[in-house]
Amino acid sequence: MKLEELRKIRERVQNDLRLRGGAARVKIVVGMGTSGIAAGAREVLSAFLDEIEKRKLTDVIVTQSGEKGLASKEPIVEVIERDHPKVVYGGMTAEKARRVVVEHVIHGTVVEGDVLAIVDAEKE
Amino acid sequence: MDKLRVKIDGRTILAAPGKTILEVAAENGIHIPTLCHLDGLRDVGACRLCIVDLYGQLVTSCTTKVADGMEIGTQTETVRAYRRTILELLFAEGNHVCSFCVSNGGCELQDLACELDMHSVRVPYTYRRERVDATHPRFLIDRDRCVLCGRCVRVCQEVEGAHTWGFAERGATARVITDLAVPWGTAESCTSCGKCVEVCPTGAIARKGASNAEMRKHPDLVAELTERRARG
Amino acid sequence: MGKVKVATVWFSGCAGCHMSFLDIDEVLIDLAGRIEFCNSPITDLKVFPEGGVDVTLVEGAIGNEEQLELARTVRAKSKIVIALGDCAVTGNVPALRNGIPPRELIEEIYGTSRTTNGALPYEVVPRLLERVRPLHEVIPVDYFLHGCPPPAGLIAKAVLALLDGKTPELTGADLKFG
Amino acid sequence: MAGRLDVLVCSGGACMSSHSLEVKEELVRQLEAHHLADEVRIVETGCMGPCQYGPLVLVYPEGVLYKNVAAADVAEIVSEHFLKGRVVERLLFRSETADRIIQERRSIPFFEKQMKIVLANCGAINPESIEEYIGAGGYEALGKAVTTMTPEGVVAEMKASGLRGRGGAGFPTGTKWDFVRREKSPKKVVVCNADEGDPGAFMDRAVLEGDPHTVIEGMAIAAYAVGAQHGYVYVRAEYPLAIKRLRSALEAARKLGFLGDRIFETAFSFDIEIRVGAGAFVCGEETALIASLEGRRGVPRIRPPYPSTSGMWQLPTLLNNVETYANVRHIVARGSAWFASIGTEQSKGTKVFALSGNVRNTGLVEVPMGTTIGELIYDIGGGVPNGKRLKAIQTGGPSGGCIPVPYLNTPISYETLKELGAIVGSGGVIVLDEDTCMVNLARYFVEFTASESCGQCVPCRSGLVRMLDILDRITRGEGAMDDLALLEELANTIKRSSLCGLGQTAPNPVLSTLQYFRDEYEEHIRHKTCPAAVCAALFVAPCEASCPAHVDVPAYVAHLSNGDFAKAFDIHMKTNPLPGICGRVCYAFCETKCQRAQIEEPVAIRDLKRSMADYAMEHKLAGPKPRARNGQRVAVVGSGPAGLSCGYFLAQLGYETVLFEALPIAGGTMATGIPTYRLPRDILKADIDRIVRAGVEIKLLSPVEDLDELLADGYGAVFVATGAMKAQTLALGDPLPRGVVTGVDFLKGIHVDGTSEVGAEVVVIGGGNSAIDSARAARRLGAKHVTIAYRRAKADMPASPEEIAEAIEEGVEILDMTSPTGVVGGGRVEGLRCARMAAGPFDASGRRRPVESDQAEIVLPTSMVIVAVGQEATGELLRGAGIEVAKGGLVPVDPVTMSTSRPGIFAGGDATSGPATVVEAIGAGRRAAIAIDRFLGGNGILEPEERVEVATDYDEDAYTQERARAVPPMAAAGTRIRSFAEVRGRFAKEQAIEEARRCLHCDRKQTEDGVCCGSSAGEAAGATTR
């Protein structure tokens, strides 16, 4: 074992432990109420997780929330970035989820067409 | 070798390095009471009766080596009081009934009561009740009279090399045992050399059938033996 | 000057200490002129003097309720109490029964005895204490005379010192038990 | 696919014993069932800390902490939280101070003030995964040390860090390392002492179970620094889980090359073996530990030589404790300067404490050195539960000492605790509440050390047993005052002359309790009482022991359970002649000690008493017959509870007794101060009339001005019970506008003078019962809005919680942390200016002192201000009789005889104690009556007959089953505020009988053959140890 090897292990494992750090840059919240799940929120959630894994994003966490009260727009997803307003997407699909990861999460460009609302953090 | 300068009870004394306070005191005619110490055996500092005052710290003189500039009090109020309390504790934990003891008149514990001015035992007595082990053909042990000084254990290990005697249990139930706590008479390692009898400071280990007048012990035997062995 | 009032009492012990007291020989004559014996097994005076005494010598350990009671009376009515001999000082031989329940003891001693026909003395004699105790465990004691029995000379030394109004110097070999 | 949730299940020892593994298994099943196994990862971790609330489940990324999770809760957590994102609120932590739920782990007060260095990984990673350890930065420090630092450099870092031995002695770790490093020996050994043996200490176990690699890494760094090749961990056999995890950690470390040959491809080689100890406490002592490691009898030997020069196999040996090693990697990785910046001048870093005893949040906590004791107990520990008062904390286990309440502001460090006679020790902290008997506590520790002494040296072996004898004697009520001196002498002899640390520290629990709680020892010896009602030989039952009047509660409750109200009443009258009053306004100290609370709730003793008293009143029962008159006369000044009680018992003893009362009515504060909705005046009158019928003469409108006149009048003795009627005031303005009154005057106005003027808006200042009484009375007189302004926190109000709750129901608003500074208004008061307060340091009472906050002053608009901030005695009458009067008008008296410095003059009640309770005054009056009897030549015996245990005639076993406490009917708040009618109703007769049968009969201690005949809870009550 060399020091460099140790550090390699650490980097690998740290990705694994990122959930517990509480210091994620971006938090993606998938609405998983009854209507959300009926509209395909499970697939959306899986797509997010898969895409994040593929792109080795260590500072993004995916979590879930309950009913948002806007059944017609489900699945609904919120993207919360530190120091940015919250972006709420509606009518998500697995495909759109992958796009949000690439464009919004990685490149910082909101995927305009699917946005339901942009909410300032203070107003909540 | 350079001598160290120490002060014992106000007297300045030159001492050889590597010696214990007890040795230096004895060489200079200063008596310090002892019980578990015996010339020729390794010192363990268990009975605590030889404590002396280093003015700030109490140490057992049998285990503490002299150091240059050391100031030692062997008879300060503090150590005298503590020694007396410790002696009372010894008397209280056993059944030290001198009047019918085979060592009456030849007992180090009895002598210590005189030496340390012990008028009465202020703590409650325990009244221990242990069976006398008289299974050995020549010797017996009355554990009620044992002070757990460990001299029998050490002489058996260090001089005889038989390792028959040992300690068992702890706290108030600690006691000396032969082999793995078997009756002495059945302890196979025992060579029946009798050194334990000679070093036992009280009447706990004694020769069978000996009258009080006959039961005089010779603990100095050990020092003689070890010295002779050293000379080869 | 009036005579010094002296009492002696005898609890659980063998009377050997009293014998030793008598062994002080010619000193007894000297003492006779200076002390008044108030209560003592020797004089067979059975009631402890109401008015109190100067010195009481106590032989024996405290083994039963009567002795405990009397020991307290002795303390209340004596200026100086001396524990005389190893039984009073340490419990000595009588205390060897400690650890055996009194009931068992009585049954062992009386229950199997031919002379008592197995009758057990529960009511007529004072009840045994759970443990035999040295005198100072039940009352404060001023001086301790060691020995089984204490040598006559030691007793004489202590008593004479007290008669001279001095504190008996008990030290070294004076403190030999047994 | 990457995980979405990490679910950490605590599998520390405490959580495992509350079945956390079942929770984990159920989680696995539920995740499978919901097809979440890929997204949710379950991690078994070491101890998370708040053991009280186990099993604990921590869910990331949100950081939601669930407590007391049962397997049955798992389905809900999975379907609600993991699937739908709805946190399961009922399993969350709740704030102790405010009524709110706390979701995230980091905002739970228990964690807020902690700083986790040693425990950083405990509860956060899987202890059986070396990868997780590495992910958390593990083995980086070892790599750094062996590849970039010299051994001297490592030692220098340790020295500079200021780390001190965490095993208890606090020896500088770097210095010890330096000793070993300097030894010229080709072979050296490092040893980890994991023989954690203090009762109540479990920090080493938590580290070994929760983060074993941190210890391995620390030992490896140490070995590198001192030049050792072999390491041993000496761990007690009682820690099988720690052994198992350590063993698997060692294997994993070897596999990755952190142990073994050429570590990090350097010349450094090192390996570790586990040695399992057989559980002797003394083996925590280093020389005994080494003896045991070598396979010999585990007894200490004299030092020097120290292990650093001659330890295991006579080799230079470095011996440190688990927690010490756990600090090492952090110091190496982050630098000594960082470490030295934490803590106090001489005590650096953090310390792990195991909080246990009477504290809300028991468990493991880690705080920076310098954290105050109060912060540890209150902010982290959550304070003392069940409404009990803190008495002391015990630190350092059997080698440590007690620290009483006045020292809560002491910052924790090796030096400060030592100064107080305690020690940091290994970190066990036992919180003790008012129900702890300090003598019994000391006895417990001495019993422990006496049986754990190795038996080698005389002072420890024989001395501790003798100390135990003496302590036993004292707890049985057979102690003498001389025993305390002997106990101290033995303690000092053992402390100063024992061979090893065990003996040298074993007397500490006795010495420190003697230092701070000597009065408690003296209570046991002089008065044969155990104030905490623990030492079973000294009382009938805990209720009786805690009653200031020592009413034989078990006896009268037993009579009630048999339906015999008259006999119950007779028993009560033997010690307390005011049952009607006490059945309503008593503080019911008895109920706070009632052992029934261990099953559900205390027996409703006060309500039972009321039923009995009402029965006696309605049936015109008189109570026990007094003795024939003996012809002697005694005067009593004041007709409050103390005076009435003293007068009654004097009459029972045959004295002709005259009570002098200055006012036109009898009863003292009971008549002038306690509102009628709590104590109807016909009840007061009935109790007083019964005393008059028993032979006491009461002279109203007869103020006494000169005690000597009374004595000259032929009274053989005088009992002065003039109360504490003078209201304390606040400087709110000069001159005060109209509308500012004292609580005393306000309540007296209502009940004696018949005035009833009240403003629409009323502010009451104060936090005691008279403040509550004033507020509730004001509501009844028509005040629209009543506010109580109190300068401390609501939880610190001295008023009874029951009264406070009832006041709030009646619309009284309580504004705490509010301290009045002045009134607003000219002719008539218009408002009250108040400063807003913040919680400051702890005061001698153990409460936080209110200090001015930076919030702006507020003005409470009001037309009336009632100042109810306390009352005091004047002591005038006694001063006039030449008796010295202390500050606050209080007269010093003997607590048993109530006699003043002047023979023949006795005093009691509020006049000598300051404002207290009715039942305390009754007790004082009775004690005085007994003492007066003795003074006048009597024998002072009120009850010649021995206590008889009351037989009961129902199926007791049936009543030891859980059974709710009976609640008497209460008037609705809306009805209550319309009149001064009594608020609380009473039990129906059958209901009272049923309730009385809930009594567990703690008075029945042992039958002749030594078998306890009570129920299991009854046994608990009779036991001397808690």
Side-chain angles (χ1 to χ4, degrees):
Chain A
M1 173 77 55
K2 290 188 191 154
L3 212 45
E4 301 85 67
E5 290 170 322
L6 174 73
R7 286 178 184 152
K8 263 187 215 138
I9 300 177
R10 189 168 75 221
E11 273 157 31
R12 176 166 56 77
V13 185
Q14 263 171 351
N15 180 29
D16 231 28
L17 295 179
R18 72 187 193 287
L19 289 179
R20 298 177 221 172
R25 180 179 60 91
V26 184
K27 182 164 145 192
I28 298 170
V29 185
V30 182
M32 294 275 283
T34 314
S35 55
I37 292 173
R42 286 285 309 149
E43 291 73 27
V44 171
L45 183 88
S46 303
F48 272 118
L49 294 172
D50 185 52
E51 198 62 27
I52 288 164
E53 166 81 2
K54 260 203 302 213
R55 295 181 184 273
K56 304 248 173 289
L57 301 180
T58 55
D59 55 354
V60 181
I61 59 168
V62 179
T63 161
Q64 73 287 63
S65 72
E67 207 77 35
K68 289 279 164 191
L70 207 63
S72 61
K73 304 286 186 198
E74 292 282 3
I76 292 173
V77 168
E78 298 169 350
V79 178
I80 304 159
E81 230 177 317
R82 214 179 295 148
D83 307 326
H84 286 276
K86 179 166 86 180
V87 179
V88 186
Y89 293 100
M92 293 301 276
T93 60
E95 209 41 52
K96 286 180 180 173
R98 292 179 195 277
R99 233 177 95 197
V100 167
V101 172
V102 179
E103 294 183 16
H104 185 164
V105 175
I106 299 179
H107 294 107
T109 323
V110 176
V111 185
E112 289 290 351
D114 303 312
V115 174
L116 281 185
I118 296 181
V119 188
D120 271 345
E122 289 94 66
K123 294 211 176 112
E124 285 211 47
Chain B
M1 208 188 301
D2 282 346
K3 291 260 179 175
L4 307 173
R5 190 183 289 268
V6 297
K7 218 179 209 177
I8 303 182
D9 297 338
R11 258 172 73 192
T12 301
I13 286 169
L14 292 179
K19 295 219 165 180
T20 64
I21 296 172
L22 184 66
E23 286 167 338
V24 173
E27 283 165 10
N28 289 279
I30 298 167
H31 177 75
I32 298 174
T34 59
L35 183 62
C36 69
H37 164 83
L38 186 65
D39 281 341
L41 295 181
R42 186 173 49 89
D43 279 310
V44 288
C47 74
R48 318 303 290 169
L49 284 170
C50 72
I51 47 169
V52 291
D53 204 337
L54 297 189
Y55 304 101
Q57 194 195 354
L58 302 181
V59 297
T60 40
S61 56
C62 68
T63 58
T64 307
K65 301 226 159 53
V66 286
D68 199 36
M70 200 179 241
E71 272 196 53
I72 302 152
T74 70
Q75 299 295 331
T76 63
E77 257 322 296
T78 318
V79 293
R80 285 181 60 85
Y82 285 162
R83 283 176 195 153
R84 197 159 45 234
T85 305
I86 293 167
L87 189 68
E88 287 177 40
L89 291 172
L90 272 170
F91 268 93
E93 75 173 356
N95 280 358
H96 298 290
V97 186
C98 302
S99 54
F100 67 95
C101 179
V102 69
S103 284
N104 188 5
C107 170
E108 293 182 35
L109 191 69
Q110 192 179 32
D111 293 345
L112 280 165
C114 299
E115 185 186 341
L116 301 181
D117 273 345
M118 192 190 82
H119 289 257
S120 68
V121 173
R122 294 162 303 156
V123 295
Y125 286 89
T126 317
Y127 304 111
R128 213 156 57 179
R129 300 199 73 84
E130 293 250 14
R131 284 188 180 281
V132 171
D133 180 352
T135 54
H136 192 280
R138 288 168 50 209
F139 314 124
L140 59 79
I141 175 162
D142 176 359
R143 290 189 171 84
D144 285 348
R145 298 185 187 275
C146 172
V147 291
L148 289 166
C149 64
R151 276 159 44 165
C152 54
V153 177
R154 278 174 286 149
V155 80
C156 193
Q157 281 177 9
E158 297 167 18
V159 183
E160 180 63 9
H163 295 266
T164 303
W165 288 105
F167 289 102
E169 309 223 8
R170 59 178 181 241
T173 52
R175 63 186 206 280
V176 289
I177 52 164
T178 43
D179 280 2
L180 293 173
V182 298
W184 192 358
T186 63
E188 288 176 6
S189 66
C190 178
T191 60
S192 301
C193 70
K195 291 189 186 70
C196 51
V197 179
E198 298 304 331
V199 300
C200 176
T202 70
I205 304 181
R207 264 195 308 281
K208 273 184 171 176
S211 71
N212 176 283
E214 291 163 329
M215 194 60 248
R216 287 294 170 266
K217 299 186 171 184
H218 303 283
D220 20 343
L221 166 96
V222 179
E224 237 171 79
L225 267 175
T226 47
E227 270 165 38
R228 280 192 202 164
R229 279 185 192 174
R231 272 184 265 139
Chain C
M1 193 183 102
K3 285 185 177 181
V4 175
K5 291 180 177 169
V6 175
T8 73
V9 288
W10 173 24
F11 294 141
S12 296
C14 68
C17 302
H18 274 86
M19 294 299 152
S20 197
F21 192 10
L22 294 177
D23 272 351
I24 57 181
D25 301 336
E26 73 280 3
V27 181
L28 272 178
I29 299 161
D30 178 20
L31 286 184
R34 300 171 68 185
I35 67 176
E36 176 193 339
F37 258 114
C38 298
N39 171 291
S40 167
I42 301 167
T43 58
D44 206 22
L45 294 171
K46 290 193 173 69
V47 180
F48 203 82
E50 190 59 26
V53 299
D54 296 300
V55 182
T56 304
L57 293 140
V58 180
E59 173 187 342
I62 307 299
N64 66 31
E65 284 175 350
E66 182 197 30
Q67 292 169 351
L68 181 61
E69 182 75 30
L70 181 53
R72 288 181 179 143
T73 309
V74 164
R75 181 66 268 183
K77 301 204 175 291
S78 312
K79 287 186 190 139
I80 293 169
V81 174
I82 301 177
L84 179 67
D86 283 357
C87 293
V89 177
T90 73
N92 206 27
V93 177
L96 288 172
R97 78 149 164 96
N98 290 349
I100 305 169
R103 200 186 178 85
E104 265 177 47
L105 266 174
I106 289 185
E107 276 164 16
E108 175 71 26
I109 304 299
Y110 293 92
T112 58
S113 161
R114 290 247 180 97
T115 54
T116 58
N117 289 325
L120 303 182
Y122 285 129
E123 263 109 61
V124 280
V125 299
R127 258 210 324 232
L128 291 186
L129 298 177
E130 194 61 34
R131 281 176 145 202
V132 174
R133 301 165 81 184
L135 187 63
H136 68 272
E137 281 192 17
V138 300
I139 58 165
V141 171
D142 300 296
Y143 301 104
F144 298 87
L145 299 181
H146 295 194
C148 185
L154 179 64
I155 302 174
K157 172 177 164 178
V159 173
L160 288 174
L162 287 172
L163 288 181
D164 293 341
K166 291 180 194 149
T167 301
E169 292 275 333
L170 303 170
T171 175
D174 296 339
L175 297 172
K176 183 178 163 295
F177 288 115
Chain D
M1 188 162 53
R4 163 167 76 81
L5 294 170
D6 274 0
V7 179
L8 279 56
V9 182
C10 179
S11 56
C15 280
M16 274 174 70
S17 66
S18 51
H19 312 295
S20 66
L21 291 186
E22 285 171 24
V23 171
K24 187 208 145 190
E25 282 157 22
E26 183 62 18
L27 263 172
V28 172
R29 268 195 295 280
Q30 290 288 335
L31 291 178
E32 290 287 338
H34 288 86
H35 307 291
L36 288 170
D38 288 347
E39 290 168 32
V40 180
R41 177 169 47 180
I42 302 170
V43 184
E44 266 184 62
T45 72
C47 178
M48 292 181 181
C51 306
Q52 174 98 38
Y53 302 101
L56 293 156
V57 172
L58 177 57
V59 184
Y60 281 113
E62 300 98 317
V64 172
L65 182 57
Y66 289 120
K67 64 172 174 130
N68 302 121
V69 181
D73 298 322
V74 170
E76 187 180 351
I77 295 176
V78 172
S79 68
E80 285 298 300
H81 183 174
F82 298 174
L83 265 181
K84 298 175 190 158
R86 287 194 291 249
V87 169
V88 182
E89 289 197 357
R90 64 179 179 86
L91 296 173
L92 295 176
F93 276 73
R94 215 163 250 289
S95 160
E96 279 114 23
T97 45
D99 187 25
R100 64 187 175 94
I101 298 167
I102 306 162
Q103 178 166 327
E104 285 179 59
R105 174 186 170 279
R106 55 164 188 232
S107 34
I108 296 168
F110 178 78
F111 292 105
E112 268 179 328
K113 282 208 174 175
Q114 294 198 50
M115 179 189 238
K116 299 225 174 186
I117 295 174
V118 169
L119 298 178
N121 281 342
C122 276
I125 64 163
N126 178 353
E128 306 218 25
S129 160
I130 192 169
E131 293 214 332
E132 289 205 2
Y133 178 70
I134 293 170
Y139 289 112
E140 176 77 20
L142 176 62
K144 177 180 172 185
V146 299
T147 59
T148 69
M149 298 168 79
T150 59
E152 293 79 6
V154 177
V155 170
E157 272 294 273
M158 293 306 294
K159 275 188 165 173
S161 74
L163 175 66
R164 292 167 63 176
R166 296 292 192 244
F171 189 81
T173 306
T175 309
K176 201 186 229 181
W177 287 27
D178 203 24
F179 288 155
V180 181
R181 195 189 65 76
R182 285 168 189 277
E183 287 294 324
K184 295 201 182 348
S185 166
K187 280 190 170 179
K188 293 178 191 175
V189 180
V190 275
V191 176
C192 173
N193 183 350
D195 188 58
E196 187 171 52
D198 285 6
F202 48 93
M203 51 293 280
D204 292 350
R205 184 179 74 180
V207 173
L208 288 175
E209 288 176 0
D211 195 13
H213 286 287
T214 205
V215 180
I216 296 172
E217 186 174 359
M219 287 179 72
I221 294 170
Y224 173 72
V226 303
Q229 306 78 29
H230 293 285
Y232 294 90
V233 179
Y234 185 88
V235 54
R236 50 200 318 233
E238 291 92 328
Y239 286 178
L241 184 64
I243 295 168
K244 175 179 161 260
R245 297 226 169 113
L246 187 61
R247 195 162 276 151
S248 83
L250 286 173
E251 270 166 38
R254 277 187 208 115
K255 207 173 266 174
L256 289 187
F258 302 125
L259 289 176
D261 288 339
R262 299 185 49 77
I263 294 168
F264 283 101
E265 303 196 345
T266 64
F268 172 58
S269 302
F270 175 68
D271 209 339
I272 297 174
E273 281 177 54
I274 299 174
R275 286 280 187 275
V276 178
F281 178 67
V282 72
C283 286
E285 199 279 342
E286 59 180 16
T287 58
L289 185 148
I290 288 171
S292 176
L293 266 179
E294 293 175 354
R296 292 184 289 119
R297 178 177 161 84
V299 291
R301 63 156 173 80
I302 297 240
R303 299 176 306 183
Y306 286 90
S308 52
T309 46
S310 174
M312 200 158 168
W313 315 123
Q314 279 79 58
L315 298 174
T317 302
L318 175 71
L319 206 149
N320 283 137
N321 158 272
V322 170
E323 193 184 334
T324 313
Y325 284 125
N327 273 297
V328 169
R329 70 179 183 108
H330 298 283
I331 294 169
V332 171
R334 303 176 70 170
S336 56
W338 161 79
F339 191 83
S341 72
I342 304 162
T344 67
E345 191 56 42
Q346 286 167 296
S347 299
K348 301 294 187 192
T350 59
K351 177 76 193 86
V352 181
F353 290 101
L355 274 185
S356 64
N358 310 118
V359 62
R360 279 202 181 81
N361 308 328
T362 56
L364 271 194
V365 304
E366 182 174 359
V367 291
M369 290 281 192
T371 302
T372 68
I373 296 168
E375 287 170 326
L376 184 68
I377 305 307
Y378 283 96
D379 298 344
I380 297 172
V384 180
N386 307 325
K388 304 273 177 171
R389 278 193 314 273
L390 178 69
K391 186 170 194 173
I393 67 162
Q394 206 281 348
T395 68
S399 313
C402 291
I403 302 171
V405 171
Y407 298 95
L408 286 179
N409 293 316
T410 309
I412 295 168
S413 73
Y414 291 104
E415 294 73 29
T416 49
L417 294 202
K418 196 172 167 198
E419 230 166 77
L420 296 179
I423 56 168
V424 171
S426 60
V429 172
I430 304 170
V431 181
L432 309 167
D433 72 9
E434 56 189 284
D435 291 349
T436 313
C437 168
M438 302 312 275
V439 183
N440 184 58
L441 180 86
R443 202 203 73 89
Y444 164 76
F445 281 119
V446 172
E447 186 175 29
F448 177 86
T449 40
S451 66
E452 291 294 344
S453 163
C454 81
Q456 188 179 200
C457 79
V458 184
C460 175
R461 173 185 78 223
S462 180
L464 289 172
V465 176
R466 301 285 86 83
M467 282 178 73
L468 184 59
D469 273 349
I470 295 169
L471 289 164
D472 265 337
R473 208 150 73 191
I474 295 175
T475 56
R476 283 199 310 267
E478 294 163 12
M481 285 306 286
D482 290 348
D483 281 344
L484 292 186
L486 186 57
L487 198 58
E488 256 174 334
E489 190 193 317
L490 282 173
N492 286 319
T493 305
I494 297 167
K495 194 179 166 83
R496 292 204 61 199
S497 71
S498 288
L499 192 155
C500 83
L502 191 158
Q504 287 159 9
T505 59
N508 286 353
V510 172
L511 288 170
S512 98
T513 46
L514 274 172
Q515 181 183 351
Y516 296 115
F517 298 96
R518 198 182 189 94
D519 52 337
E520 226 174 293
Y521 282 84
E522 291 180 3
E523 282 280 324
H524 282 75
I525 295 170
R526 282 187 206 275
H527 307 140
K528 315 288 178 216
T529 59
C530 174
V534 172
C535 299
L538 301 182
F539 55 82
V540 172
C543 46
E544 172 272 338
S546 56
C547 175
H550 294 287
V551 174
D552 190 344
V553 181
Y556 86 74
V557 170
H559 281 307
L560 290 179
S561 73
N562 290 337
D564 195 339
F565 283 45
K567 273 199 186 125
F569 172 75
D570 278 350
I571 298 249
H572 196 279
M573 291 297 284
K574 282 185 183 175
T575 43
N576 178 345
L578 301 174
I581 295 163
C582 286
R584 286 165 171 85
V585 302
C586 188
Y587 263 54
F589 298 101
C590 49
E591 291 185 28
T592 67
K593 292 267 158 85
C594 177
Q595 299 298 307
R596 182 83 200 187
Q598 293 181 4
I599 300 181
E600 354 68 4
E601 276 187 280
V603 175
I605 301 172
R606 189 182 56 199
D607 284 318
L608 284 177
K609 173 175 304 191
R610 174 180 166 169
S611 297
M612 173 197 81
D614 288 4
Y615 175 94
M617 187 174 76
E618 283 150 19
H619 291 79
K620 304 216 163 18
L621 301 182
K625 272 211 170 64
R627 283 185 213 165
R629 286 291 168 91
N630 61 19
Q632 301 196 72
R633 293 206 302 164
V634 179
V636 174
V637 187
S639 69
L644 288 169
S645 161
C646 185
Y648 172 78
F649 289 113
L650 284 168
Q652 289 296 105
L653 286 162
Y655 293 88
E656 186 185 319
T657 314
V658 183
L659 252 73
F660 294 87
E661 171 58 56
L663 294 178
I665 49 168
T669 307
M670 301 185 296
T672 64
I674 301 181
T676 54
Y677 62 83
R678 288 212 282 141
L679 177 59
R681 291 304 181 259
D682 54 331
I683 302 292
L684 175 67
K685 188 170 177 303
D687 275 359
I688 295 177
D689 284 352
R690 189 184 301 114
I691 288 174
V692 171
R693 281 199 303 276
V696 177
E697 185 189 348
I698 300 180
K699 289 189 173 170
L700 298 175
L701 293 166
S702 309
V704 172
E705 266 139 31
D706 188 346
L707 292 177
D708 286 297
E709 257 174 45
L710 279 182
L711 291 169
D713 252 7
Y715 292 101
V718 187
F719 179 61
V720 178
T722 44
M725 307 283 266
K726 192 178 135 203
Q728 286 177 326
T729 51
L730 294 172
L732 294 172
D734 191 26
L736 280 173
R738 275 181 296 119
V740 181
V741 296
T742 65
V744 172
D745 289 342
F746 178 68
L747 292 167
K748 184 165 168 245
I750 299 169
H751 294 104
V752 182
D753 313 329
T755 55
S756 57
E757 194 190 320
V758 71
E761 306 276 325
V762 174
V763 177
V764 181
I765 304 171
N769 271 354
S770 85
I772 302 280
D773 284 344
S774 301
R776 295 177 73 184
R779 279 291 279 155
R780 282 165 172 75
L781 291 176
K784 291 268 164 320
H785 195 225
V786 179
T787 308
I788 291 178
Y790 180 56
R791 64 199 181 103
R792 296 180 191 258
K794 201 169 137 188
D796 291 337
M797 289 175 80
S800 78
E802 203 179 9
E803 293 282 316
I804 296 171
E806 286 176 18
I808 293 172
E809 280 169 21
E810 290 167 9
V812 173
E813 193 190 332
I814 295 175
L815 209 57
D816 65 352
M817 306 308 282
T818 304
S819 180
T821 54
V823 286
V824 183
R828 172 106 206 158
V829 63
E830 286 159 20
L832 181 67
R833 266 199 325 272
C834 298
R836 297 290 286 154
M837 310 304 279
F842 295 91
D843 66 13
S845 71
R847 298 177 296 177
R848 282 192 181 275
R849 193 193 311 278
V851 293
E852 265 188 52
S853 72
D854 40 20
Q855 292 175 52
E857 267 200 343
I858 54 171
V859 176
L860 302 171
T862 183
S863 54
M864 184 171 192
V865 172
I866 302 172
V867 184
V869 292
Q871 285 153 242
E872 58 189 12
T874 62
E876 271 168 27
L877 188 57
L878 290 155
R879 195 181 287 117
I883 292 162
E884 205 178 311
V885 177
K887 232 178 92 183
L890 300 181
V891 185
V893 287
D894 180 296
V896 174
T897 65
M898 312 310 290
S899 58
T900 65
S901 55
R902 205 177 137 181
I905 297 183
F906 299 76
D910 287 1
T912 61
S913 64
T917 60
V918 169
V919 68
E920 285 165 271
I922 292 171
R926 185 172 185 273
R927 289 200 296 281
I930 290 171
I932 289 170
D933 184 36
R934 290 220 176 94
F935 175 74
L936 296 174
N939 61 8
I941 295 174
L942 264 168
E943 316 156 74
E945 72 273 33
E946 263 188 33
R947 180 177 190 273
V948 185
E949 205 175 86
V950 181
T952 49
D953 56 8
Y954 59 93
D955 175 13
E956 286 176 5
D957 286 345
Y959 286 87
T960 56
Q961 307 304 317
E962 206 171 305
R963 194 173 280 262
R965 172 184 162 116
V967 183
M970 292 274 290
T975 319
R976 293 195 318 236
I977 57 168
R978 283 201 288 272
S979 79
F980 276 78
E982 187 166 20
V983 166
R984 204 172 173 84
R986 75 167 188 235
F987 293 145
K989 186 171 180 183
E990 281 313 308
Q991 198 184 5
I993 292 171
E994 281 295 297
E995 178 62 16
R997 291 178 173 182
R998 290 179 66 237
C999 174
L1000 294 172
H1001 304 292
C1002 306
D1003 58 325
R1004 299 176 190 169
K1005 275 168 198 148
Q1006 296 214 317
T1007 56
E1008 257 185 22
D1009 41 0
V1011 179
C1012 191
C1013 59
S1015 65
S1016 58
E1019 280 166 25
T1024 49
T1025 44
R1026 284 152 40 93

